[in-house]
Amino acid sequence: MVFNSPTFRAFLKKLEVPQDNTITTESRWINQDLAPIPPERRTWKWWNFCAFWISDCLNVNTFMIGGTYIAVGCNWWQALIIVAVGYSLAAIVLVVNGRAGATYHIGYPVMTRSSFGIAGAYVPIFNRILLGTVWYSVQSWIGGQCVYQMLKAMAPSVENIPNSFSGSEVTVKSFLGFFLFSLLSCFAIWYPTDRIRHLFTIKSIVTPIAAVALFIWAVVNCKGLGPIVDQPSSFTSSEQAGWAIVSAITGCLGNMAAVIVNTNDFTRFSTKHSDIVWSQLITMPLGFFLTSFIGIVVTGASVHLYGEALWNPIDILDRMENRAAVFFLAFAFAFATLGTNLCANSIPVGADMSAVWPRYINQRRGGYLCAAIAMCLNPWNLLSGAQNFLNFLTAYTIFLSPITAILITDFYIVKKRKLLVNQLYDPKGVYWYKFGLNWRAYASYILAIVPNLPGFIGIVGGTAPPGADKVFKLAYFVGFAIGGFFYVTLNYLFPCHWIIAEQEKEILVVPSSGKDEEKVETLSVYSQPEPSNTA
């Protein structure tokens, strides 16, 4: 048969991803991107994480979130309270979840094996791939609209391109920007994570200038902040306002849910654990607060200037007459979106795809697969209205918040911050559990999703029971609390005795070399451990 021929086997051999001399392609559980980060590649220091979050928060998506709260009825101070509370909570969960990556220098796909099992990790990995690819498509669409504004500023005649897309909300002009942005993103995907930290440094300089310029434009054209801050909320009752604020806070966590769950994909590059703590606890919520504040002011200015809440800043660029200003702002927003799309979607999805087929897919190839699939989706439908956008952010949380809770409770409470890293790559090791998966994690995950499903069905057009919408407005908190509670409870009632026995040997593998870490014995991650019980 052709599949057994030497020629075909040689062809498959050429398709295998490049490896270093210490990693074999014969294993289906490891490649160079999945292995713990060696000391020479741990190059992210605390200022790199600060630059990362300054650059990440300054993007069109964050402007849109702040402006969306105005569009759905909040006044300026209600919107700011939402942002302050929502992103502060997100920062705390992110830092707590990132400890494992900073300690053992392993990413999300490998970390999930500790709690879900080596084979069972495929479900949370596929979950992240699916949602990350959709979000990559959305961000690419946003970046594409920025590129279109740049084209229009350079050559206004591009506006006259005829539309040959019939029966669709997308036009040839808007799709052209989407295609060009996606094409340019392919160049950025090529570079490994430890080498793109300088991109975030540049972005943290360029994008704040554009944000301040847009803020000044809004204040000058409104002749001060008075017309903006004087706009009242449109809520008709305190109950309506309260639930809208709660839903919006959940939306903040939904916006960060993907980055929170896969934060180990970045913290594993840290020089030492302390580099990820205050740099993120302060910079992340402060950056999102200031960016959202600018988005709120600009959206409020659009109400005063144009008579409607333009929650998407690209719509405001479309109405500006100064072509030079439009080009600069559009360029800055496109650059900002590119960086955000890399860190929040392309890199994590690439790493996750690498875990699915390590022999033939590495992080780079996975990133390109993500970009190719994203081109086939319809992201413009998700951005067709402010409420649709908020619903998307909230829906995003019901699948990711339970995973985050399970990862955190497993690392801190169940495993007591002790991982046998070499056995995370060994199907004969302790993390194989039974049949390759940990039923405790899966039971907790399903129980955490179920309460949010009726509300999820309701927002996508189905019939939901009374009160389901209110439960869904607390989706992140409900999923996180239930997932974490049941995982701890099930591990208490049905403990994994063989893992406990191995941990009592006090062997930790490939810890951080930072001075703030304890001194422990080191083993090779590629060593063959003794077969253990898998009852």
Side-chain angles (χ1 to χ4, degrees):
M1 295 179 63
V2 65
F3 297 109
N4 293 325
S5 67
T7 303
F8 185 74
R9 289 199 298 268
F11 172 72
L12 289 180
K13 189 69 177 178
K14 289 183 180 296
L15 291 180
E16 292 181 359
V17 298
Q19 305 288 1
D20 61 29
N21 294 329
T22 60
I23 301 176
T24 174
T25 57
E26 298 304 316
S27 173
R28 60 177 294 193
W29 306 110
I30 191 171
N31 65 18
Q32 192 170 351
D33 288 325
L34 294 176
I37 300 300
E40 64 271 14
R41 293 185 61 199
R42 300 171 194 170
T43 56
W44 284 51
K45 302 183 183 298
W46 67 266
W47 57 82
N48 296 122
F49 285 98
C50 287
F52 174 89
W53 284 113
I54 291 173
S55 63
D56 184 74
C57 68
L58 286 162
N59 63 78
V60 176
N61 176 50
T62 309
F63 280 103
M64 290 165 64
I65 291 174
T68 298
Y69 301 146
I70 300 297
V72 298
C74 294
N75 59 29
W76 68 274
W77 61 265
Q78 289 171 333
L80 287 180
I81 289 176
I82 290 168
V83 172
V85 173
Y87 286 103
S88 294
L89 292 174
I92 293 172
V93 180
L94 178 133
V95 169
V96 171
N97 191 37
R99 173 68 184 262
T103 303
Y104 294 99
H105 304 284
I106 55 177
Y108 168 73
V110 177
M111 191 65 203
T112 54
R113 296 174 182 177
S114 170
S115 50
F116 285 86
I118 292 180
Y122 281 133
V123 169
I125 288 172
F126 275 119
N127 190 344
R128 178 66 184 93
I129 289 173
L130 174 64
L131 297 175
T133 303
V134 172
W135 197 241
Y136 182 95
S137 183
V138 170
Q139 290 280 15
S140 295
W141 179 257
I142 294 172
Q145 301 318 293
C146 296
V147 171
Y148 171 69
Q149 292 298 327
M150 293 170 60
L151 294 174
K152 194 174 73 168
M154 291 188 296
S157 59
V158 74
E159 187 75 6
N160 300 323
I161 296 177
N163 182 30
S164 58
F165 293 166
S166 59
S168 174
E169 295 182 10
V170 64
T171 64
V172 171
K173 295 177 293 186
S174 57
F175 190 82
L176 174 63
F178 176 56
F179 174 79
L180 292 175
F181 181 85
S182 300
L183 186 64
L184 292 171
S185 298
C186 291
F187 292 97
I189 293 174
W190 179 264
Y191 294 95
T193 306
D194 54 312
R195 293 179 58 188
I196 64 169
R197 66 190 189 278
H198 301 304
L199 180 146
F200 299 115
T201 302
I202 297 172
K203 182 185 168 189
S204 66
I205 297 172
V206 174
T207 50
I209 297 174
V212 172
L214 192 59
F215 175 80
I216 294 174
W217 170 87
V219 173
V220 169
N221 281 272
C222 289
K223 296 180 173 58
L225 289 173
I228 299 173
V229 299
D230 290 340
Q231 296 175 22
S233 68
S234 60
F235 299 126
T236 57
S237 66
S238 57
E239 181 182 3
Q240 182 189 20
W243 279 111
I245 291 173
V246 168
S247 177
I249 291 174
T250 303
C252 291
L253 287 160
N255 181 44
M256 298 305 301
V259 180
I260 290 173
V261 78
N262 66 255
T263 183
N264 290 314
D265 287 334
F266 292 92
T267 59
R268 64 181 179 149
F269 290 95
S270 63
T271 303
K272 56 183 184 295
H273 168 254
S274 59
D275 288 334
I276 75 166
V277 182
W278 293 109
S279 60
Q280 300 189 99
L281 283 176
I282 295 175
T283 309
M284 176 187 156
L286 181 61
F288 277 94
F289 181 87
L290 294 175
T291 305
S292 297
F293 172 70
I294 295 174
I296 291 166
V297 169
V298 172
T299 302
S302 71
V303 176
H304 177 72
L305 297 173
Y306 307 119
E308 60 178 316
L310 299 177
W311 55 280
N312 188 339
I314 300 174
D315 293 335
I316 295 178
L317 295 183
D318 195 49
R319 301 196 183 192
M320 285 185 179
E321 297 180 355
N322 189 320
R323 290 167 55 188
V326 169
F327 180 87
F328 170 71
L329 291 172
F331 169 79
F333 288 152
F335 188 58
T337 304
L338 172 64
T340 300
N341 219 11
L342 282 175
C343 67
N345 303 304
S346 172
I347 291 173
V349 171
D352 294 341
M353 288 186 176
S354 175
V356 174
W357 208 0
R359 186 180 298 186
Y360 296 103
I361 301 177
N362 56 15
Q363 181 173 294
R364 178 182 296 161
R365 294 181 184 182
Y368 284 126
L369 283 174
C370 172
I373 297 171
M375 285 289 294
C376 304
L377 303 178
N378 299 325
W380 46 87
N381 292 330
L382 295 172
L383 301 175
S384 58
Q387 193 59 53
N388 286 343
F389 188 60
L390 285 179
N391 288 341
F392 172 69
L393 293 179
T394 306
Y396 203 71
T397 70
I398 75 169
F399 302 105
L400 296 185
S401 63
I403 297 176
T404 305
I406 291 170
L407 291 177
I408 289 175
T409 54
D410 180 70
F411 181 68
Y412 287 94
I413 300 176
V414 177
K415 303 296 193 302
K416 303 184 187 305
R417 294 189 296 164
K418 295 181 179 180
L419 296 180
L420 305 164
V421 176
N422 60 318
Q423 299 197 37
L424 289 170
Y425 303 90
D426 188 351
K428 296 180 181 179
V430 297
Y431 300 117
W432 187 253
Y433 294 94
K434 190 172 184 178
F435 304 115
L437 58 87
N438 182 8
W439 66 269
R440 303 159 190 80
Y442 274 92
S444 304
Y445 184 58
I446 294 171
L447 289 170
I449 291 176
V450 168
N452 288 318
L453 281 180
F456 176 76
I457 294 172
I459 70 163
V460 297
T463 302
D469 59 327
K470 293 184 178 179
V471 174
F472 190 72
K473 289 176 180 177
L474 292 164
Y476 194 95
F477 303 101
V478 171
F480 189 94
I482 294 177
F485 171 78
F486 276 105
Y487 187 73
V488 172
T489 301
L490 290 174
N491 275 277
Y492 176 77
L493 297 175
F494 308 97
C496 302
H497 296 290
W498 63 94
I499 295 182
I500 295 173
E502 287 295 320
Q503 288 179 333
E504 288 176 351
K505 297 178 181 178
E506 297 182 350
I507 299 177
L508 302 183
V509 184
V510 197
S512 171
S513 59
K515 295 181 180 179
D516 59 341
E517 299 292 345
E518 57 183 311
K519 184 178 180 180
V520 293
E521 182 181 353
T522 301
L523 293 180
S524 170
V525 71
Y526 315 114
S527 62
Q528 297 298 321
E530 294 290 332
S532 57
N533 296 329
T534 56

